[in-house]
Amino acid sequence: MGKRKKSSRKPAAASAARRREPLDTAFTCLFCHHDKSVTVRVDRKEGIAQLVCRVCDQRYQSKVNHLTEPIDIYSEWIDAADAAQKDGQAHRRPLASSSRLAPAPHYVGSDDD
């Protein structure tokens, strides 16, 4: 008795499902808000990535490994900018502060009357 023959699958249909679209390498700047003005250069040999905005010349530099992609550097830049903004707000004085002393409250029923 023989075995049944397996049906053959088309290889084109299987590879189309696995096809990955490339990730972006140009991004929107956080400071000047220009689309696709920020580029990321990853130098794996040196282990450094540089992010530069062509419009406002904003720069960021980070360490990389063999798994790092440009989108990872852009995300780190966003996180670093948020952390710097929060740190800057923590050291500021309140805007509504006054150097004048408040008058002493007058209590009803005090002994001074």
Side-chain angles (χ1 to χ4, degrees):
M1 293 230 216
K3 294 182 180 179
R4 289 188 177 202
K5 194 173 188 179
K6 291 184 179 180
S7 63
S8 62
R9 292 187 179 183
K10 297 180 181 178
S15 66
R18 284 188 244 150
R19 186 178 303 163
R20 294 186 337 184
E21 294 189 21
L23 298 173
D24 288 339
T25 57
F27 308 100
T28 302
C29 181
L30 295 175
F31 297 97
C32 67
H33 303 291
H34 280 86
D35 290 336
K36 299 189 184 223
S37 64
V38 174
T39 57
V40 178
R41 281 184 252 131
V42 179
D43 187 0
R44 296 189 197 286
K45 186 176 179 182
E46 296 292 326
I48 295 175
Q50 295 179 346
L51 179 141
V52 179
C53 177
R54 292 181 305 228
V55 177
C56 67
D57 201 37
Q58 193 65 234
R59 295 178 182 270
Y60 178 75
Q61 197 172 39
S62 178
K63 292 182 181 180
V64 297
N65 59 29
H66 67 283
L67 297 175
T68 305
E69 294 291 329
I71 188 72
D72 299 323
I73 302 303
Y74 182 69
S75 298
E76 285 180 23
W77 181 47
I78 292 172
D79 294 341
D82 287 344
Q85 184 180 15
K86 286 180 183 176
D87 186 42
Q89 289 177 352
H91 294 295
R92 289 185 183 170
R93 289 180 38 188
L95 295 176
S97 68
S98 176
S99 59
R100 289 187 271 162
L101 295 174
H106 187 303
Y107 296 106
V108 178
S110 65
D111 294 347
D112 295 340
D113 288 307

